[in-house]
């Protein structure tokens, strides 16, 4: 039996949808903290296991009889300690194989968001030390993040960000979910680390050119100072943590931290992932 963690989150929903498309109903259960959010699965006859990562005592029953666990990483600011408890609970329950979704980045030690993102690699280390079999899916940036970071006026006013010429191999969340589902239903992936990214990487100038093709209007990219972006976000009432995370992520983009184009996603999909223009048409639809 496979257990899908984070099943009511955005990536988890895509994984479940792909498992159902693969006619795998009955081969997996979903883990959820909130029974009301999980009702969409219960109504389809999918087994729901209730468990809370912040309540370790709830995880033993949720993990009972599970052989393979898709551990979708959380966004908790206490992620390291939280996920350590999950790994220990999985080991104690006898889970044989963890598939963990982490981060595809060149050098976490020099990342501008190291203090938050290092917990991904701490979790990987704990999984390796647990004695369980493992597979690590290091996810790159979601294509959906392009619209979030570029802002709501990107199509009319262009893109103004301090990203320099940094490139990112974006991929759609749906295709990442499909790749994870294919891996969970397959064999022979134990001990592998996969960079789940696009096969090509693109800069913000490339994105602006793609948006120009999409809209038929000239969409430009302006490389602005970090402080200009920070000032605009503060003026809009954006919380300090979100400003820090956004600026740090864009600094890492500028510094080439996410420029790790890989064929791992393509291999797991069995086809080429969506092109930049196809992703932009989906994201900005």
């Amino acid at each position: 039996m496979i257990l899908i963690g984070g099943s009511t989150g955005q990536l988890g929903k895509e994984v479940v949808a792909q498992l159902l498309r693969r006619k795998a109903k009955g081969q997996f259960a979903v883990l959820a903290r909130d029974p009301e959010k999980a009702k969409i699965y219960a109504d389809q006859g999918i087994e729901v296991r209730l468990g809370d990562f912040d309540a370790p005592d709830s995880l033993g029953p949720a993990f009972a009889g599970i052989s393979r666990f898709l551990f979708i990483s959380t966004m908790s600011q206490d992620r390291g300690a939280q996920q350590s408890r999950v790994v220990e609970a999985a080991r104690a329950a006898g889970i044989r194989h963890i598939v963990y979704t982490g981060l595809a980045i060149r050098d976490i030690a020099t990342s501008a968001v190291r203090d938050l993102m290092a917990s991904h690699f701490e979790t990987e280390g704990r999984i390796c030390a647990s004695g369980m079999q493992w597979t690590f899916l290091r996810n790159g940036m979601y294509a959906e993040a392009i619209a979030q970071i570029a802002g709501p006026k990107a199509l009319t006013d262009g893109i103004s960000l301090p990203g320099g010429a940094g490139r990112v191999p974006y991929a759609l969340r749906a295709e990442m979910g499909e790749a994870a589902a294919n891996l969970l239903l397959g064999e022979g992936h134990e001990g592998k680390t996969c960079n789940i990214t696009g096969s090509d990487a693109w800069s913000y100038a490339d994105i602006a050119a793609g948006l120009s093709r999409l809209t038929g209007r000239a969409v430009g990219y302006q490389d602005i100072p970090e402080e200009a972006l920070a000032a605009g976000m503060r003026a809009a009432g954006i919380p300090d943590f979100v400003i820090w995370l956004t600026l740090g992520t864009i600094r890492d983009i500028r510094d080439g931290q996410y420029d790790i184009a890989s064929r791992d996603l393509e291999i797991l999909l069995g086809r080429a992932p969506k092109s930049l223009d196809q992703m932009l048409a989906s994201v900005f639809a």
Side-chain angles (χ1 to χ4, degrees):
M1 177 66 77
I2 299 166
L3 182 65
I4 309 301
S7 63
T8 60
Q10 291 175 311
L11 180 59
K13 287 179 179 177
E14 295 290 355
V15 175
V16 172
Q18 292 297 334
L19 288 171
L20 292 175
R21 290 189 184 102
R22 292 283 304 274
K23 311 296 183 184
K25 187 176 179 180
Q27 299 179 47
F28 70 94
V30 298
L31 179 66
R33 179 178 58 183
D34 185 342
E36 188 59 34
K37 289 183 178 179
K39 189 174 183 294
I40 58 171
Y41 299 129
D43 288 347
Q44 299 177 71
I46 297 170
E47 182 183 356
V48 176
R49 304 282 187 98
L50 295 178
D52 186 339
F53 288 172
D54 290 321
D57 290 347
S58 71
L59 296 178
F63 288 157
I66 297 299
S67 60
R68 185 171 292 174
F69 173 41
L70 176 63
F71 185 6
I72 294 179
S73 54
T74 74
M75 279 302 294
S76 170
Q77 294 187 47
D78 188 35
R79 179 166 52 202
Q82 181 194 58
Q83 295 193 162
S84 176
R85 295 191 293 269
V86 176
V87 172
E88 174 53 29
R91 184 203 63 76
I95 288 177
R96 295 196 301 269
H97 182 194
I98 285 189
V99 178
Y100 175 72
T101 66
L103 177 68
I105 193 167
R106 285 190 180 278
D107 182 12
I108 189 61
T110 58
S111 168
V113 291
R114 177 189 64 251
D115 291 349
L116 177 64
M117 298 303 181
S119 55
H120 283 301
F121 300 92
E122 294 167 2
T123 298
E124 289 184 357
R126 291 187 179 100
I127 292 170
C128 288
S130 71
M132 292 180 285
Q133 296 177 328
W134 53 266
T135 305
F136 298 144
L137 300 180
R138 292 181 177 173
N139 289 344
M141 291 188 70
Y142 298 128
E144 289 81 358
I146 297 172
Q148 295 171 353
I149 294 179
K153 296 183 179 180
L155 295 181
T156 55
D157 298 353
I159 301 171
S160 296
L161 291 170
R167 290 153 44 92
V168 176
Y170 297 98
L172 288 168
R173 186 181 285 110
E175 292 194 318
M176 291 184 175
E178 182 179 350
N182 290 346
L183 184 145
L184 289 167
L185 294 175
E187 299 295 338
H189 298 289
E190 293 84 355
K192 292 183 178 179
T193 298
C194 303
N195 285 327
I196 306 301
T197 71
S199 303
D200 297 293
W202 303 276
S203 67
Y204 283 122
D206 294 326
I207 291 169
L211 292 176
S212 297
R213 293 189 293 271
L214 178 66
T215 63
R217 299 191 299 268
V219 177
Y221 166 56
Q222 182 181 9
D223 184 23
I224 63 173
E226 279 191 11
E227 181 51 38
L229 176 61
M233 295 180 75
R234 285 194 292 268
I238 304 298
D240 288 345
F241 172 74
V242 177
I243 295 173
W244 171 82
L245 181 59
T246 301
L247 290 176
T249 299
I250 296 174
R251 189 182 306 163
D252 279 351
I253 290 173
R254 185 189 64 211
D255 294 343
Q257 286 277 25
Y258 298 110
D259 192 357
I260 313 177
S262 165
R263 291 192 64 245
D264 292 342
L265 175 60
E266 180 177 344
I267 291 168
L268 286 170
L269 291 175
R271 65 174 191 279
K274 299 293 187 184
S275 68
L276 176 62
D277 285 6
Q278 290 171 318
M279 288 189 289
L280 292 177
S282 174
V283 170
F284 286 90

